[in-house]
Amino acid sequence: MAGTTKVPQSSTATDQLPAGELDIVPVRNYARWIAAVASVLALVGLVGSLAKNDNLHWDVVGEYLFADLIFDGLATTLWLTAAAMLLGLALGTLIAVMRLSSSPVLYGLANAFVWVFRGTPLLVQIIFWGYAAALYKYVKIGIPFTDVTFFQAETNSLLTPAIAALLALGLNEAAYASEIVRAGIQSVDPGQAEAAHSLGMRPALTMRRIVLPQAMRVIIPPMGNETINMLKMTALVSVISAHDLMSNIQDVYAQNYQVIPMLVVASIWYLALVTLLSVPQAWLERRYGRGTTRAAHVSPLRRLLGGTMERLGKNSKEQNR
Amino acid sequence: MSTPMVRAEGVRKHFGKLEVLKGIDLTVERGQVCCLLGPSGSGKSTFLRCINHLERIDGGRLAVDGQLVGYRRQGDKLHELREREVAERRRDIGMVFQRFNLFPHMTAVENVMEAPVKVGSVPKAEAREQAQELLTRVGLGDRAHHYPAQLSGGQQQRVAIARALAMRPKLMLFDEPTSALDPELVGDVLDVMRQLAADGMTMVVVTHEIGFAREVGDTAVFMDEGVVVEAGDPRRVLVDPEQERTRAFLSKVL
């Protein structure tokens, strides 16, 4: 700091810029510090009371947290989430493109699909698929009104609880995903498609190479939300006992009556999985954000400390020189 | 005499009840530069967009290189073209837009390579080399790996020209290529277009740059309210016009 000239306050006229380098005092956020201390105290109190509450039976939580049955359920929950999201996104993109198509047939079909699958409760759809065998005993693919059959099987052997759960979640997701994808496609400047067309690119190629990659930037954040939702909605398929995490948890507390501890086990795992999901989302957002500038991420600690850290960093850099 | 590159006879176009083009007659010969001028709303941009079928015409005939735009002639019947066929015809026509319309998720060189690789089936390495050459030709050889957002407006527009040239078009359409640019960046883009004209490219240019039209244009076409008011040698039309409307427009612009 030897080079810093300190200008006395009195010599700084209002219409004159200071001659030398002055020390900058960042804004002190006293209210933030008070709020931070109060929040920490409240949280410590809450955690303490939970830890000391005997009704929670932490021993039961500990016993089941890493039980085989729970891991089996977790595996089902995970593949069900992944498969249903893939089905939903693929079908949803197709439906979004159909809804934007100039063909009245495609548009009408897509609209009808969204109307049905968005318009009925997911729980109803899950139970419906679970009991589809009561509607059609056999699944037959052939030419209608003739005896020609290419494929025939008993509905119950095809629609296992897991497959029924996948269809229910995936088709429901497709209806919602299609609206998200449609919004994404419509957010892309029409000039982009015109430029692609003027280069001789056909509509399908234009959609795949030019429009969808740009739409992804708008699609990913809500689809991240949908994935998190899906992970939790898989709990609903316990009604057709698809052996997901929640089904297995229910099986346990139906026998040992430890409802609250078992729900704590479920909550811990759902929270852990949701936390993990934010990692691929951040990666995807960076991947599709290429070519757009965005502000660097500022950590909460840094925001609490205000400009202090930046100044420290700057000083140390100067010293290194 | 060979077939003209662009031939329009009584071209009409309306959006709903609004008649935008009320019978345009126009011929652009090979290797010529035709500049379309006129006040905004005169239909000049719409006409340009009709040439590569971004807008579909409602009446009259419009042919590029002897082929009707949007139709295939078989005997005495005209068959509307399928999307695939329309796309094929567009390959031969390059277009440059007022707002550049570069693909923001691709670097400059990727923008230029995209169509040759995906439409023209040129091998990637070869397309990259050609794209690099084209970027050098428009003075941006050192900006190949920049994204459009990292380039100035004038640089973006020059990348857009290189991108259009990558498909080796026989006709280039320019839709107010310098209207969205800061004044000091206009010159670089006009220089590239001047060079292109000198190389013998057939060009149709919608522009407000009277100086460019006078210097580079082989014909100047003045349009107003969907009709051609006056057309001919730019050194006459833009200096000593016959029509009062042209005179009034020029006095406002100059």
Side-chain angles (χ1 to χ4, degrees), chain A residues 102 189-192 194-203 205 208-211 213-214 288 290-293, chain B residues 49 52 54 83-84 87 90-91 93-95 97 101-106 114-115 118-119 147 149 163-164 167:
Chain A
S102 56
D189 175 11
Q192 291 290 313
E194 280 185 357
H197 289 155
S198 77
L199 287 167
M201 293 172 78
R202 286 154 65 174
L205 185 65
R208 192 162 56 77
R209 292 285 304 173
I210 307 301
V211 178
Q214 293 184 58
Y288 286 99
R290 277 179 312 177
T292 55
T293 45
Chain B
R49 292 161 59 82
N52 71 348
L54 282 180
E83 275 164 350
R84 182 174 51 79
R90 282 193 185 123
R91 288 186 202 180
I93 307 172
M95 180 143 183
F97 299 85
N101 297 355
L102 286 182
F103 306 135
H105 56 304
M106 300 180 183
E114 179 67 11
K118 294 291 166 183
V119 181
Y147 283 99
R163 181 177 69 176
M167 290 302 284

Side-chain angles (χ1 to χ4, degrees), chain B residues 49-159:
Chain B
R49 292 161 59 82
C50 287
I51 297 178
N52 71 348
H53 209 231
L54 282 180
E55 304 286 354
R56 169 208 191 115
I57 64 173
D58 297 316
R61 293 279 170 88
L62 180 58
V64 173
D65 202 13
Q67 284 188 310
L68 284 175
V69 173
Y71 297 94
R72 179 165 29 88
R73 189 170 173 170
Q74 247 165 21
D76 47 4
K77 283 202 180 120
L78 288 182
H79 295 268
E80 207 177 324
L81 293 183
R82 297 178 174 284
E83 275 164 350
R84 182 174 51 79
E85 298 166 305
V86 172
E88 254 165 48
R89 297 258 185 107
R90 282 193 185 123
R91 288 186 202 180
D92 295 336
I93 307 172
M95 180 143 183
V96 176
F97 299 85
Q98 182 178 358
R99 311 251 347 267
F100 329 133
N101 297 355
L102 286 182
F103 306 135
H105 56 304
M106 300 180 183
T107 60
V109 73
E110 285 167 352
N111 262 278
V112 181
M113 288 166 61
E114 179 67 11
V117 172
K118 294 291 166 183
V119 181
S121 325
V122 177
K124 241 184 184 171
E126 198 183 323
R128 187 176 289 274
E129 212 170 289
Q130 285 172 5
Q132 187 63 47
E133 266 169 43
L134 280 166
L135 286 174
T136 308
R137 199 167 137 196
V138 298
L140 293 171
D142 55 337
R143 294 281 189 279
H145 299 292
H146 285 55
Y147 283 99
Q150 301 166 320
L151 298 171
S152 75
Q155 290 170 336
Q156 288 188 52
Q157 192 61 299
R158 284 185 279 154
V159 174

Side-chain angles (χ1 to χ4, degrees), chain A residues 41-310:
Chain A
L41 285 177
L43 273 175
V44 167
L46 181 66
V47 170
S49 94
L50 281 174
K52 281 187 285 182
N53 189 332
D54 289 337
N55 295 333
L56 242 164
H57 291 292
W58 286 104
D59 53 323
V60 180
V61 173
E63 185 188 334
Y64 280 98
L65 193 57
F66 299 106
D68 283 349
L69 191 69
I70 302 302
F71 279 122
D72 285 350
L74 269 178
T76 307
T77 290
L78 277 177
W79 82 252
L80 202 54
T81 304
M85 281 313 289
L86 280 179
L87 178 63
L89 191 59
L91 195 60
T93 307
L94 183 71
I95 290 165
V97 173
M98 282 166 71
R99 278 191 111 178
L100 294 169
S101 152
S102 56
S103 155
V105 179
L106 296 181
Y107 174 81
L109 282 175
N111 263 351
F113 181 91
V114 173
W115 180 64
V116 170
F117 285 93
R118 204 177 51 174
T120 53
L122 176 59
L123 189 56
V124 171
Q125 291 177 33
I126 291 171
I127 300 174
F128 196 92
W129 284 107
Y131 290 88
L135 184 62
Y136 289 106
K137 201 162 184 310
Y138 295 98
V139 174
K140 218 157 101 174
I141 297 175
I143 300 170
F145 311 115
T146 63
D147 290 333
V148 184
T149 309
F150 304 120
F151 174 84
Q152 182 174 358
E154 227 176 307
T155 306
N156 268 333
S157 67
L158 283 178
L159 271 184
T160 61
I163 298 296
L166 171 62
L167 279 175
L169 294 172
L171 294 179
N172 183 263
E173 181 54 37
Y176 285 95
S178 76
E179 287 297 277
I180 293 172
V181 174
R182 186 167 69 118
I185 290 173
Q186 284 175 331
S187 76
V188 179
D189 175 11
Q192 291 290 313
E194 280 185 357
H197 289 155
S198 77
L199 287 167
M201 293 172 78
R202 286 154 65 174
L205 185 65
T206 302
M207 183 58 75
R208 192 162 56 77
R209 292 285 304 173
I210 307 301
V211 178
L212 281 179
Q214 293 184 58
M216 287 306 271
R217 228 157 37 84
V218 175
I219 292 172
I220 287 168
M223 280 315 281
N225 245 347
E226 290 290 304
T227 310
I228 285 169
N229 247 331
M230 176 62 78
L231 183 73
K232 294 177 298 172
M233 284 195 303
T234 52
L236 287 176
V237 305
S238 59
V239 295
I240 55 170
S241 32
H243 297 295
D244 71 310
L245 177 58
M246 195 59 204
S247 305
N248 290 359
I249 293 269
Q250 283 178 342
D251 287 350
V252 174
Y253 70 60
Q255 283 174 19
N256 68 5
Y257 303 111
Q258 299 288 349
V259 178
I260 296 289
M262 291 314 293
L263 289 182
V264 170
V265 171
S267 302
I268 289 173
W269 278 113
Y270 280 118
L271 260 177
L273 292 179
V274 166
T275 309
L276 281 178
L277 274 180
S278 60
V279 176
Q281 183 177 356
W283 179 82
L284 279 172
E285 280 183 22
R286 264 202 311 280
R287 169 93 170 56
Y288 286 99
R290 277 179 312 177
T292 55
T293 45
R294 61 177 62 190
H297 177 72
V298 182
S299 74
L301 181 64
R302 192 157 184 166
R303 272 177 281 162
L304 190 66
L305 294 172
T308 323
M309 301 235 319
E310 211 163 317

